[in-house]
Amino acid sequence: MTRTLTLIVNGEPRTLQAAPFASLADTLREGLHLTGTKVGCDAGDCGACTVLLDGEQVCACLVPTAQAEGRAITTIEGAGPAGLVDRLRESFLAHGAAQCGICTPGMIMAAADVLARDPRAGRAEIEDGLGGVLCRCTGYVKIVEAVLDVARGANAFAAKADAGAAVGARLARVDGRPKVEGTDHFGADHQPEGALWLRLIRSPHASARFALGDLAPVLARHPGLARILTARDIPGENAFGIFPTIKDQPVLADGLVRMRGDPVAALVGTRAAVEGFPDADLPITWEVLPALHGAAAALAEGAPALHRAVPDNVLTRGRLERGDVAEGHAAGAATASVAFETAFVEHAYIEPEAGYARRVGDRIEVTACTQAPVMDQEEVARVLGVPMHAVRIVPTACGGGFGGKLDVSIQPILAVAAWVTGQPVRIVYSRIESMASTTKRHPASIRARMSADGDGRFTAFEMEGDFNTGAYASWGPTVANRVPVHAPGPYRVPHVRNRTRAVYTNDTPAGAFRGFGVPQATLAAETLIDDLAEGLGLDRWTIRRRNALDHGDTTASGQVLHASAGLPQCLDALRDDFLRAQADAEAFNRTSGRVKRGAGIACMWYGCGNTSMSNPSTMRIALRPDGTLTFFNGAVDIGQGSTTVLLQIAADALGLAPDAFESVVGDTDLTPDAGKTSASRQTFVSGNAARLAGEDLRRAILSLANAGPDARLRLEGACLHVENGPASRVIDLTTLSPDETGAVLSGEGRYDPPTTALDANGQGVPYATYGFAAQAAEVEVDTVLGTVRVTRIVAAHDVGRAVNPTLVEGQIHGGIAQGLGLALMEEFIPGRTENLHDYLIPTVGDMPEIVVHLIEDPEPEGPFGAKGVGEPALVATAPAILSAIRHATGARLTRVPVLPHRLHAALHAREAAE
Amino acid sequence: MRYFQPATLDEALAIRRGNDVVPLAGATDVYPARAGRRAWGDPTHKDVLDLSRIEALRGIEDRGDHVRIGALATWTDLIRADLPPLFDGMKRAAREVGGVQVQNRGTVVGNACTASPAGDGIPNLLALDAAFEIEGPSPRLVPAEAFFTGYRATACGPHDIVAAIRIPKREGRGHFVKLGARRYLVISIAMVAAALETDAAGRIVSARIAVGACSAAAGRLPLLEAALPGAPLTDAPALVEPRHLAHLTPIDDIRASAGYRMAAALALVGDALADLSRPAARVA
């Protein structure tokens, strides 16, 4: 049922046909094609759809269109009150307050609401006003700064960089303007005309056999449906998975489901038909089987096998052994042990998976949000049974990934639907569907033991960890292999033995999530270090500093760190702060009753790039006869800023200013393979490829101009000036003959980080370089309620070289927010916390003050000395917070999240013990 | 699905009588519930009775001996209304509901009608002795304690519409404390609303205290309310005893354990009383 309605949108009356109960968000997006208003949850939980209704911020997903009739609606596409929206846009851009950009329109509208009411709003008023919009990327730090600046009347100014001065500059992200204007197109923002819609019918059972009945009568009863696709409709192989040898996840389940949310059928048809189809109309009979929840159940004697090829449910075993751990413990003056438990953690990117596919002759094009276009291309090709070159992946703007969009989700089934119907097909996951069906951080059960001698020097570390990888392998093997290398932490430990298992269960699949298992392992190890400090009467900073890996040291995998090992500098940078915070807290606690303060500390290291595997990247720069300079960059920017950082590197390597370039990003038809946006590898690996591409083009230009290496380049239209003193000359690009791609001059760079395979004991060079960090946390604990407020975090990160300090800080702030969530509130429980009001991520009011120290111990192997920073910021946060809670209260916590009732129980157990 | 949008209460009542409809005001509970059903394949929705065009349901009005909160009055309307200190707790609750977006849309009456055990407005309505103006086949005024009949259940019948809430104006101050696992946008683990009247000497004359999220429906603490009168307000926090809360029946869920909820509620009752004894709490 629709009716004719008139809405006043951004000052213009817009008359349209709409269902009165359709949400305003849906009407704006699908009816008026104003896609700047984003939908993140359809439940008022995330605020991404915030618009102004008669000047007041509302969630457009909670407003019936009928109630908006005749009222003034301001969206990000509009100008807003008193030029505020424009000023906020510029300020967001200059501050780096937009990362992925999916929350940006909602944030800007909420901020406009606050400032329209209170033009001189302070931090508290701004936080109150933005409290209803979730951001998963920024930790809100730069967002609040950007809004505060507008409140103070400051004029935003985004830095520009001259030729040769891009690396190290705080450039505004080059893809930022569409994000602040609401014109960036995310997966759900592509609305091809005449598209059919796709919806998956998913299993409510975690383990069951099923049989489908006759579908012909169902189709007849639902004339808007074009097809109901089942397993037998998959033209190629009905399987996908990250590893070439483990394609264990079906596109559509074939008679057996292994998790709640496994898709059993796909509806293709009009939007009304697929959305209006009750799942109960699908003729399906279920035989529900017992489900294995948690790794322990799957490892139990006699547990049924989830996958025939893996009878014991152990997908992968990881192992590292160095020295003799028994001897190491024997040499210790103190030994500590811990059993640590972590939960499933949801990525909670604000953009649920979305996109569309269309068939173009014998080729298929999939336009969707992703972190790994070429992997998507391989998976789609296999599922369709077509060669890879028949598949084009066009990445949309990606509204957050954090590892969760490293697996295919919608791509294969979209491709199948478009392939068999010949029509464009769209899909937009609901928030609940996204949370119920896509990968998570592995829950870990870790048992670890560590010893140190009388001086606090570590003598031995050992751990055994079981990682619940859920129903399908996803990135489970990577987690199982990365953890043993990193588990002892960034310390010298002569005797190490680490063993890990990734275990299949009937839970939601666990895959890649910022840190690949290292955050879980670090929680265990850093707890042990605090134990040892306590046991030996050493200060927590000192014991870490004494053991910190330094130049020339050997890691547990036997790798010698020749350069860029800046942990000592990181620790030195926060020493005074930490010791002051520790002393302040102790002084406060001497007289305080209920509220106790604490300071904590933790360190981390993180290998950049894939573990002991080739993971090359290729970048290309081309100059056309008209002087168009294009950077062909296959690295998907998921908000972290690779589009900007790689351009800064390429620009300086070539010797032209960044704004001389156009960028083509991610499209598999147009860009060479840069590999995945994962493993903190794009700045380091693709950065090297970008540097090499820039150098390659520069070489070609200089040789054509017969100029020396110090020549300066200047591009003016079709004239390329090569300035080299008396030997200067101008190349008229129109006179050069273009190659088959249309380029007259081009450069290409390929880089694959130098690593070696690990031997049976996990010995070798798994990564070319490592990021290092030390973080201190300060907390305030209400010991009666068991609540924790993190008041301050000091983060010192060795990033080699900060190519763009604003973006690096943004990564650290965002990583800290996610680390805080991991420590205190985030726990995904299949079937129970499948939305953003039961699954909690930090809001703007949960963030502490953050102080960042950027340590630049240059990596000779890195582009301009740079290393990756994407994951490291998360890793040290949770253990530092736990260390601080322990300092405040004495409670040694071995399970995250530390929900209030868990801390309360721990405090009571401690009281009882005393 | 039909969508009714009548302009008068009489029309609305007629629609309500003749159809199985879900009354809708701010819509902030209806859409999340719909999203939850749709995600698992239930696209059905009851017909909707949108009350938003009924002028008589708007606004917050001082009616001499009581304040009347119309069914369309939002949390923001409440925050902005000029109300005596008795309503300070109500206003605090209003600021804790969802984010500003939800405060701008969600209604006090709608929150009560959803009757979630964790509804942030409900303990205040109990503590303030609110009464529900129910229109329908038998128009009546139902006291809050009789209105909330159980888990997501109320005395509002299938042919009724809650037109307003009446809160008697009395001396004294109100207060509200909420506990959640994060700062904003959070469902309560436990919460307490209190309304206290004191004499010139600072002694408690009357106390009405309610706890939410610790039983199927929020409930008052009659034993504590009986124990407090006569005591100096500053002594009140120390008078709170576990037995005063013994009738609550908290549950274990994803947010907290039952035992913790009970302990937290006990602490929050003390906190609410302590806040009331400090002048700072007067700033709602």
Side-chain angles (χ1 to χ4, degrees):
Chain A
M1 183 193 69
T2 64
R3 62 164 92 147
T4 307
L5 294 156
T6 300
L7 312 177
I8 317 295
V9 184
N10 300 323
E12 300 281 325
R14 304 287 297 265
T15 300
L16 76 161
Q17 284 288 314
F21 193 49
S23 75
L24 176 61
D26 191 64
T27 300
L28 289 170
R29 293 178 50 80
E30 295 295 331
L32 296 174
H33 306 295
L34 292 170
T35 53
T37 299
K38 307 302 178 190
V39 173
C41 69
D42 243 338
D45 297 326
C46 78
C49 65
T50 298
V51 299
L52 304 183
L53 185 64
D54 289 339
E56 310 252 9
Q57 60 169 309
V58 301
C59 288
C61 73
L62 297 182
V63 179
T65 301
Q67 287 194 11
E69 183 159 26
R71 301 176 70 182
I73 297 148
T74 309
T75 71
I76 188 67
E77 290 92 348
L84 264 177
V85 171
D86 277 330
R87 290 174 61 208
L88 285 162
R89 282 189 183 115
E90 296 310 313
S91 191
F92 268 57
L93 202 53
H95 279 276
Q99 285 191 22
C100 81
I102 193 79
C103 78
T104 306
M107 279 292 180
I108 289 180
M109 298 322 288
D113 177 59
V114 178
L115 296 183
R117 230 161 290 290
D118 183 0
R120 295 281 165 270
R123 183 174 289 273
E125 293 76 33
I126 290 169
E127 289 188 3
D128 281 351
L130 301 185
V133 191
L134 298 178
C135 170
R136 191 57 156 168
C137 294
T138 65
Y140 308 94
V141 177
K142 291 183 185 290
I143 290 172
V144 174
E145 284 170 5
V147 181
L148 268 171
D149 249 17
V150 174
R152 290 190 197 109
N155 281 321
F157 174 74
K160 293 186 96 167
D162 293 333
V167 170
R170 291 180 176 271
L171 287 194
R173 44 184 321 136
V174 296
D175 54 352
R177 186 155 294 280
K179 295 184 189 296
V180 300
E181 291 185 344
T183 54
D184 209 4
H185 278 189
F186 294 85
D189 299 336
H190 292 266
Q191 304 175 335
E193 220 160 302
L196 297 173
W197 286 69
L198 174 64
R199 183 170 76 80
L200 293 161
I201 296 184
R202 297 184 177 276
S203 167
H205 308 293
S207 177
R209 289 186 199 289
F210 68 93
L212 290 168
D214 186 4
L215 299 179
V218 185
L219 280 166
R221 272 204 310 280
H222 294 272
L225 288 184
R227 296 288 295 261
I228 300 175
L229 301 173
T230 66
R232 77 183 66 151
D233 297 308
I234 307 297
E237 197 183 329
N238 182 19
F240 62 88
I242 298 303
F243 291 85
T245 53
I246 321 174
K247 301 292 178 189
D248 62 356
Q249 188 159 2
V251 178
L252 291 173
D254 194 0
L256 174 71
V257 295
R258 297 185 179 89
M259 59 175 269
R260 171 179 163 86
D262 249 342
V264 296
L267 307 174
V268 188
T270 65
R271 184 176 178 206
V274 303
E275 289 185 354
F277 183 95
D279 285 7
D281 279 10
L282 187 76
I284 188 166
T285 48
W286 293 103
E287 180 201 339
V288 179
L289 305 170
L292 302 171
H293 295 297
L299 292 168
E301 186 92 18
L306 267 96
H307 297 271
R308 212 169 299 143
V310 183
D312 60 356
N313 292 323
V314 177
L315 164 66
T316 314
R317 288 180 163 80
R319 178 164 191 274
L320 180 143
E321 190 151 359
R322 180 168 185 80
D324 179 339
V325 78
E327 190 187 303
H329 286 307
T335 296
S337 338
V338 72
F340 210 102
E341 297 284 331
T342 75
F344 274 116
V345 184
E346 155 68 21
H347 304 84
Y349 29 76
I350 305 301
E351 181 206 23
E353 292 74 2
Y356 78 97
R358 61 175 190 152
R359 183 172 181 163
V360 183
D362 287 335
R363 296 190 78 212
I364 191 86
E365 291 182 6
V366 182
T367 302
C369 55
T370 181
Q371 293 181 242
V374 175
M375 286 182 68
D376 295 354
Q377 191 184 11
E378 291 165 2
E379 301 276 28
V380 167
R382 184 172 355 79
V383 167
L384 279 191
V386 300
M388 230 175 106
H389 61 75
V391 179
R392 177 183 187 182
I393 302 292
V394 184
T396 64
C398 183
F402 318 113
K405 292 173 183 167
L406 266 178
D407 297 69
V408 292
S409 53
I410 58 176
Q411 295 85 353
I413 190 67
L414 265 182
V416 170
W419 191 254
V420 301
T421 61
Q423 279 176 267
V425 179
R426 290 177 73 184
I427 192 169
V428 180
Y429 274 3
S430 71
R431 166 60 52 188
I432 294 170
E433 181 173 28
S434 170
M435 290 183 72
S437 68
T438 64
T439 61
K440 305 285 170 272
R441 179 184 299 291
H442 286 72
S445 301
I446 295 169
R447 295 158 302 283
R449 227 172 132 225
M450 194 169 190
S451 296
D453 68 16
D455 295 330
R457 291 182 204 285
F458 299 149
T459 55
F461 178 91
E462 64 178 315
M463 68 90 76
E464 285 181 10
D466 286 333
F467 292 79
N468 177 355
T469 206
Y472 300 104
S474 179
W475 291 85
T478 302
V479 168
N481 289 323
R482 189 173 268 269
V483 168
V485 177
H486 289 85
Y491 308 105
R492 285 182 297 271
V493 193
H495 304 286
V496 179
R497 186 174 66 201
N498 299 332
R499 288 160 206 266
T500 56
R501 292 185 291 190
V503 183
Y504 280 127
T505 67
N506 289 113
D507 293 323
T508 316
F513 191 163
R514 211 171 190 172
F516 284 99
V518 178
Q520 296 94 306
T522 306
L523 276 161
E526 293 288 321
T527 301
L528 293 177
I529 294 171
D530 279 5
D531 290 343
L532 293 174
E534 197 173 283
L536 294 165
L538 279 169
D539 172 71
R540 289 172 294 161
W541 181 88
T542 304
I543 194 169
R544 287 174 170 84
R545 182 65 175 83
R546 197 162 282 173
N547 291 284
L549 285 173
D550 202 342
H551 294 229
D553 283 335
T554 304
T555 71
S557 79
Q559 180 176 355
V560 178
L561 299 174
H562 296 291
S564 196
L567 183 61
Q569 291 155 269
C570 292
L571 278 163
D572 292 350
L574 52 71
R575 173 184 180 274
D576 292 353
D577 233 332
F578 171 72
L579 295 178
R580 189 243 351 120
Q582 185 171 258
D584 284 357
E586 286 163 11
F588 176 87
N589 293 345
R590 273 193 287 278
T591 55
S592 77
R594 173 170 168 178
V595 174
K596 296 290 182 193
R597 291 184 183 161
I601 188 168
C603 299
M604 77 95 227
W605 63 326
Y606 201 77
C608 297
N610 293 10
T611 311
S612 287
M613 266 167 41
S614 167
N615 62 123
S617 173
T618 303
M619 295 275 148
R620 186 165 179 270
I621 306 172
L623 197 48
R624 297 171 73 92
D626 63 354
T628 310
L629 178 65
T630 308
F631 181 33
F632 294 95
N633 167 4
V636 170
D637 193 329
I638 58 172
Q640 88 284 24
S642 59
T643 299
T644 307
V645 164
L646 298 179
L647 178 63
Q648 286 177 269
I649 291 168
D652 275 9
L654 172 59
L656 282 169
D659 57 11
F661 291 78
E662 288 177 358
S663 286
V664 171
V665 179
D667 185 325
T668 56
D669 269 13
L670 303 178
T671 61
D673 184 5
K676 303 165 291 289
T677 295
S678 75
S680 300
R681 61 181 288 284
Q682 292 297 19
T683 296
F684 179 67
V685 180
S686 289
N688 267 321
R691 175 182 59 84
L692 292 167
E695 288 171 358
D696 190 34
L697 176 55
R698 182 176 175 84
R699 227 178 355 258
I701 293 167
L702 296 188
S703 115
L704 186 68
N706 211 7
D710 297 330
R712 290 163 54 91
L713 305 184
R714 200 154 48 82
L715 186 60
E716 280 177 8
C719 294
L720 179 59
H721 299 258
V722 184
E723 295 168 348
N724 195 24
S728 294
R729 61 164 289 189
V730 179
I731 301 171
D732 180 353
L733 297 170
T734 58
T735 63
L736 305 178
S737 46
D739 66 12
E740 70 284 357
T741 68
V744 288
L745 285 163
S746 65
E748 195 167 281
R750 181 181 187 277
Y751 180 79
D752 194 6
T755 60
T756 67
L758 297 175
D759 69 15
N761 286 323
Q763 298 296 296
V765 178
Y767 310 102
T769 187
Y770 297 81
F772 293 89
Q775 286 185 197
E778 292 173 57
V779 302
E780 215 168 74
V781 179
D782 179 329
T783 56
V784 170
L785 292 175
T787 50
V788 177
R789 197 164 65 86
V790 183
T791 54
R792 190 161 182 266
I793 285 187
V794 183
H797 282 254
D798 170 21
V799 299
R801 175 84 190 271
V803 176
N804 185 323
T806 299
L807 295 176
V808 171
E809 288 160 2
Q811 285 303 292
I812 294 172
H813 296 153
I816 286 171
Q818 292 184 357
L820 187 150
L822 169 70
L824 298 181
M825 60 182 83
E826 299 192 29
E827 182 165 27
F828 177 82
I829 306 168
R832 300 196 59 190
T833 58
E834 291 172 347
N835 57 56
L836 292 177
H837 52 265
D838 290 322
Y839 185 87
L840 302 183
I841 65 171
T843 68
V844 65
D846 299 296
M847 290 303 294
E849 177 197 352
I850 298 177
V851 178
V852 174
H853 297 284
L854 295 182
I855 305 300
E856 296 185 316
D857 184 0
E859 168 54 58
E861 183 70 24
F864 298 93
K867 306 187 282 193
V869 70
E871 288 153 283
L874 185 148
V875 180
T877 306
I881 291 172
L882 264 62
S883 173
I885 296 171
R886 180 172 177 181
H887 181 234
T889 65
R892 178 180 183 265
L893 296 150
T894 55
R895 179 178 178 190
V896 289
V898 183
L899 294 170
H901 68 276
R902 292 191 185 134
L903 178 53
H904 186 263
L907 293 172
H908 276 260
R910 202 178 139 71
E911 234 167 58
E914 279 170 5
Chain B
M1 194 208 92
R2 292 174 302 169
Y3 192 92
F4 301 100
Q5 213 172 10
T8 68
L9 187 55
D10 285 344
E11 286 173 66
L13 288 168
I15 293 163
R16 184 88 156 119
R17 266 195 309 277
N19 305 273
D20 184 15
V21 291
V22 54
L24 176 149
T28 55
D29 282 331
V30 165
Y31 283 103
R34 180 178 77 153
R37 287 193 307 271
R38 281 166 72 140
W40 293 98
D42 176 7
T44 58
H45 201 282
K46 271 193 185 183
D47 293 340
V48 170
L49 173 56
D50 180 340
L51 306 173
S52 66
R53 288 190 178 166
I54 305 172
E55 283 301 321
L57 302 183
R58 286 190 193 288
I60 295 174
E61 209 183 325
D62 189 333
R63 295 234 176 136
D65 66 337
H66 70 272
V67 170
R68 182 178 186 271
I69 300 173
L72 293 173
T74 63
W75 297 107
T76 299
D77 291 338
L78 181 70
I79 292 166
R80 292 180 186 162
D82 184 14
L83 295 168
L86 186 68
F87 290 81
D88 287 359
M90 210 51 201
K91 288 193 172 196
R92 285 180 68 101
R95 292 197 178 89
E96 300 269 356
V97 174
V100 177
Q101 295 91 333
V102 169
Q103 293 161 19
N104 284 340
R105 293 279 309 159
T107 62
V108 180
V109 170
N111 179 260
C113 289
T114 296
S116 158
D120 285 335
I122 295 169
N124 281 291
L125 296 174
L126 290 165
L128 296 178
D129 280 335
F132 287 74
E133 265 182 42
I134 295 182
E135 298 292 344
S138 47
R140 59 206 186 275
L141 205 56
V142 178
E145 285 211 73
F147 182 79
F148 299 104
T149 54
Y151 177 79
R152 291 182 177 269
T154 73
C156 181
H159 296 162
D160 295 334
I161 290 172
V162 177
I165 293 172
R166 291 185 194 177
I167 297 178
K169 280 166 69 180
R170 292 186 186 155
E171 290 304 306
R173 279 195 294 138
H175 190 54
F176 175 75
V177 287
K178 166 171 168 173
L179 172 67
R182 71 178 173 188
R183 174 67 187 85
Y184 297 109
L185 291 176
V186 69
I187 297 174
S188 295
I189 294 171
M191 58 190 150
V192 173
L196 247 63
E197 191 190 338
T198 48
D199 63 17
R203 287 181 185 280
I204 295 172
V205 174
S206 71
R208 287 162 291 145
I209 298 162
V211 174
C214 288
S215 36
R220 292 266 290 261
L221 302 182
L223 292 177
L224 177 60
E225 292 177 9
L228 289 177
L233 176 53
T234 46
D235 291 353
L239 298 175
V240 184
E241 296 173 29
R243 66 183 179 87
H244 297 141
L245 285 78
H247 62 291
L248 300 179
T249 51
I251 57 160
D252 282 324
D253 70 4
I254 51 168
R255 280 176 271 281
S257 63
Y260 170 78
R261 274 202 166 88
M262 196 59 123
L266 183 68
L268 291 175
V269 171
D271 288 353
L273 294 171
D275 287 348
L276 279 166
S277 70
R278 282 192 293 265
R282 285 182 194 144
V283 186

